[in-house]
Amino acid sequence: MAREKKTKLGVWVILGLLFFSLVGFGTTNLSGRTNTLATVGDKEITLNQYALELRRGIDTFSGQVGQPLSFTQAQSLGIDQQVLNDMINMRLFENEASLMGVSVGDQRVRDRVTSNPNFQGFSGTFDRDAYRDVLSRMGTRESDYEQALRDEMAATALQISLTAGYTVPAGYIDAIVNYAAERRDITWVQVTDAALTDAIPAPTDEDLAAYHEGHPADFTTLETKSIVYAALTPDMLLPTIEVDETSLRDLYAQRTADYNSPERRLVERLGFADEASAQAAMDAITAGETDFDQLVEDRGLTLDDVDLGDVDQVQLAEAGAAVFAAASGDVVGPLPSLIGPSLFRINAVLEAESIPFEVAADELRAELGRDRARRVIGDVAEQMADLIAGGARVEDLADQTQMELGSLDWTVASTDGMAAYPEFRQAAAVAQIGAYPELIEMSDGGIFALRVETIQEPALQPLEDVIDEVTAGWTRDTTQAAILAKAEEMATALSNGSQFGEFGLAPTIDVDVTRQTFLDYTPEGFMARVFETEAGKGFALPYDGGAVLARVDAVNAPNLEDPDVIALRDRFAAQLSNGVAQDAMQITLNTLRGETDINVVREAVNAVHAQIQ
């Protein structure tokens, strides 16, 4: 709502301290002429106010995305326009409040000022010297600040009066709740070709020709680019890279935790308030009166709540020895733990693992080799770029450097060889015949350059070349059409009182499904069709080469006493009322914009933007 977007004068105070560099705006703008950035009727927006609000907007969005946002990025997202628009909206209400004679008393303004923590001294109470100092740092006089505060409070009161008290007719809400919370009982089953009594005949030549003509997208080739490339990857250089054993052993020592892990256990832990309670629970398990799962459930917990994951003996401290002496599936305890006396269940034993240097050496050698190969490629990349800049062809790169020459017929479906690299696929997708080669770096540290020789446009393949695919497609679609027709016959029979058993089908029964229910093995739109169908009626939909046959057995009105339904009704009522209030706010804003003289000094806006950058 616009009310939530109003300019926060208290925030100006905070930002005036945090962004002291903006104080230079002072009483004149950055061009040295005026402090006014925009006028809205008789109200104004100053450079300081806009600058501080803009910085606040950028910082707020930066906090939401978790990284600093540059001003250029903020502009591309329209944050500067949104901030200025919000400030203009607020001034529209301030101006209208002034015209209507709406104001607030001195006492309310005084209360807002004295309660602002930014104006408090070390004693925690209002400090006039602090008040003057903060406003001075902002380049704002007390009288101007207090008038702006008075205008804001009056405008807020006007907004509240405009948006308060909207309600939506109960009948409208009831209709929506009935629609959303209504339920159905259904019986349904998948229908396959087993339901067909007659075999699907073989297609005629005319059938295949018609199918081929009617499904051109299925038999049209992809655009194909014939590409020549020169590439150099770390794996290409790997055979030439020497790695000494000392380096390998140093890396092995750094990765010792990866190659040598202690014995571990998958463990769950259930804590108790005291030793006696824990022992009583253990005795009950031993006597067969309960089990660990039941104890967890009795405590209102889930197994996720008590899961410790995989732990070593050291992590379990005093309980470690007993837990590691137990077998998988055992429950042991009571044992001490950080949460008090506890029972532990061992779900799996993970044996210790030790991979010796000799076994790990090949893997380490490849890792170090690729790292050194990446550095080699980085060192020679500039030379290759210079060759391209000097007019070298792809073939020249392969002749004069370590790059290897290759070629492929590329389509958007290609994923083999160089096309396995996303950077290559992206470059191939945009490359055109005659384009100047470019040296491109890949994610593994490799580089490549490519040239497009020819482009074969998409084309419908002759029927004789794809006869097998056309036959398979015709057979598949014809079979599904026959199954669907059979299912629709059954649906008509079900609507007239027949039962699923009469067709030799074993259906599934689902009770109280809602519009949001998803059932496995049903097609898209299935639940919508359920709620369009009357009780006692059947229907069929195509699905997965066959069909789904269903009957709506009952239409269940929502239980209006159900707490979930009550909560749903309250939520709809609040959302609808808020929507009406927002519409009223927007209509009012549109009217005020049409009736109020708004003037934005674009040079002043640009000056603020230049300073923030």
Side-chain angles (χ1 to χ4, degrees), residues 505-567:
L505 301 174
T508 298
I509 298 174
D510 284 294
V511 178
D512 275 343
V513 298
T514 70
R515 296 178 190 274
Q516 291 74 42
T517 300
F518 174 78
L519 298 176
D520 288 333
Y521 310 111
T522 61
E524 183 178 355
F526 176 77
M527 203 54 64
R529 184 66 180 273
V530 165
F531 278 81
E532 293 170 359
T533 304
E534 298 177 9
K537 300 297 183 181
F539 67 86
L541 291 174
Y543 175 70
D544 193 27
V548 167
L549 172 66
R551 181 184 64 203
V552 176
D553 298 322
V555 174
N556 305 323
N559 177 10
L560 300 181
E561 303 301 322
D562 186 333
D564 290 339
V565 176
I566 293 173

Side-chain angles (χ1 to χ4, degrees), residues 139-159:
T140 301
R141 295 178 299 180
E142 292 182 37
S143 58
D144 292 338
Y145 174 76
E146 290 166 8
Q147 182 58 49
L149 186 58
R150 191 186 305 274
D151 289 343
E152 177 200 320
M153 295 172 69
T156 301
L158 184 59
Q159 292 178 37

Side-chain angles (χ1 to χ4, degrees), residues 430-446:
V430 299
Q432 297 297 323
I433 295 175
Y436 192 73
E438 178 185 356
L439 195 66
I440 298 174
E441 183 177 351
M442 295 182 289
S443 56
D444 70 346

Side-chain angles (χ1 to χ4, degrees), residues 311-326:
V311 293
D312 59 35
Q313 185 168 339
V314 174
Q315 289 174 289
L316 294 174
E318 296 179 65
V323 169
F324 271 69

Side-chain angles (χ1 to χ4, degrees), residues 123-329:
S123 64
T125 59
F126 176 73
D127 187 315
R128 177 160 289 278
D129 290 336
Y131 178 50
R132 289 175 179 147
D133 182 59
V134 170
L135 295 186
S136 175
R137 290 174 182 271
M138 292 179 60
T140 301
R141 295 178 299 180
E142 292 182 37
S143 58
D144 292 338
Y145 174 76
E146 290 166 8
Q147 182 58 49
L149 186 58
R150 191 186 305 274
D151 289 343
E152 177 200 320
M153 295 172 69
T156 301
L158 184 59
Q159 292 178 37
I160 292 173
S161 67
L162 178 66
T163 58
Y166 285 101
T167 58
V168 177
Y172 181 58
I173 298 174
D174 290 341
I176 293 178
V177 170
N178 286 333
Y179 176 86
E182 192 176 54
R183 284 159 166 70
R184 297 285 192 275
D185 296 346
I186 62 172
T187 303
W188 63 279
V189 67
Q190 290 188 63
V191 182
T192 67
D193 56 2
L196 300 178
T197 55
D198 298 322
I200 301 298
T204 65
D205 291 344
E206 291 77 12
D207 291 333
L208 295 178
Y211 190 86
H212 177 257
E213 183 179 348
H215 299 78
D218 294 341
F219 309 110
T220 296
T221 60
L222 297 171
E223 179 186 69
T224 303
K225 294 181 178 181
S226 178
I227 292 176
V228 176
Y229 65 85
L232 184 61
T233 69
D235 282 346
M236 292 178 185
L237 288 179
L238 202 55
T240 68
I241 301 296
E242 294 291 335
V243 179
D244 60 276
E245 184 169 331
T246 300
S247 298
L248 292 177
R249 290 193 176 277
D250 288 344
L251 183 58
Y252 179 79
Q254 296 171 23
R255 301 284 179 80
T256 184
D258 296 335
Y259 294 109
N260 299 279
S261 59
E263 188 176 355
R264 304 176 72 82
R265 298 288 187 272
L266 293 180
V267 176
E268 292 164 335
R269 177 189 63 192
L270 181 62
F272 291 84
D274 52 53
E275 186 81 18
S277 300
Q279 187 60 57
M282 188 65 204
D283 291 343
I285 291 176
T286 303
E289 299 169 359
T290 188
D291 58 25
F292 191 87
D293 289 335
Q294 189 61 51
L295 288 174
V296 171
E297 183 178 340
D298 292 344
R299 295 276 292 278
L301 302 172
T302 68
L303 293 179
D304 286 340
D305 296 328
V306 299
D307 185 22
L308 293 181
D310 62 291
V311 293
D312 59 35
Q313 185 168 339
V314 174
Q315 289 174 289
L316 294 174
E318 296 179 65
V323 169
F324 271 69
S328 179

Side-chain angles (χ1 to χ4, degrees), residues 27-45:
T27 57
T28 61
N29 76 357
L30 299 178
S31 62
R33 291 191 295 273
T34 177
N35 189 42
T36 300
L37 183 136
T39 57
V40 182
D42 294 333
K43 303 301 177 182
E44 73 168 3
I45 299 172

